[in-house]
Amino acid sequence: MAQNPALSDQLFYIHELTAWVLVVFVAIHVLAALKHLVVNKDEVFGRMWF
């Protein structure tokens, strides 16, 4: 298969964007769990923990 720099750049951009979206979703999930622990003080965090 011949090398295609334009396609390579485009796929690298998509890969990088997807990685950042995943990082943001994980951060939001962690912050939401901490909100249940600190602000709401409900048992949701206890059910998520070991």
Side-chain angles (χ1 to χ4, degrees), residues 3-44:
Q3 291 183 351
N4 187 342
L7 180 61
S8 175
D9 290 343
Q10 187 176 22
L11 290 176
F12 181 79
Y13 173 74
I14 291 171
H15 184 266
E16 185 178 19
L17 181 65
T18 304
W20 279 112
V21 167
L22 181 62
V23 166
V24 168
F25 282 157
V26 168
I28 290 171
H29 192 81
V30 168
L31 290 174
L34 290 175
K35 176 190 172 281
H36 279 285
L37 178 66
V38 176
V39 176
N40 295 358
K41 297 184 191 306
D42 55 10
E43 295 300 317
V44 173

